[in-house]
Amino acid sequence: MTGGKLILAAILIGMGNFPVVLDTTIANVSIPHIAGSLGVSVSEATWVITSLRGCGKR
């Protein structure tokens, strides 16, 4: 690919990846709150978030 097709592909890949990055960021920022609400440690809540990310859950 060259020129316009390359630029379009880069834009589309970036747009497709943005929701994943945003969702992961929100989940990571909310880990302490989630852990407190569920009565588990932060490390246990982090493990759950990591597991969901590894399984492709979105």
Side-chain angles (χ1 to χ4, degrees), residues 8-36:
L8 179 61
I11 290 170
L12 292 174
I13 290 170
M15 288 174 59
N17 194 43
F18 176 75
V20 176
V21 173
L22 181 64
D23 181 49
T24 302
T25 302
I26 291 169
N28 286 335
V29 168
S30 64
I31 285 175
H33 179 73
I34 292 170

Side-chain angles (χ1 to χ4, degrees), residues 37-58:
S37 295
L38 296 175
V40 297
S41 70
V42 173
S43 65
E44 289 172 323
T46 302
W47 182 85
V48 171
I49 298 295
T50 303
S51 298
L52 291 174
R53 291 292 128 224
C55 294
K57 178 114 173 102
R58 294 182 182 146

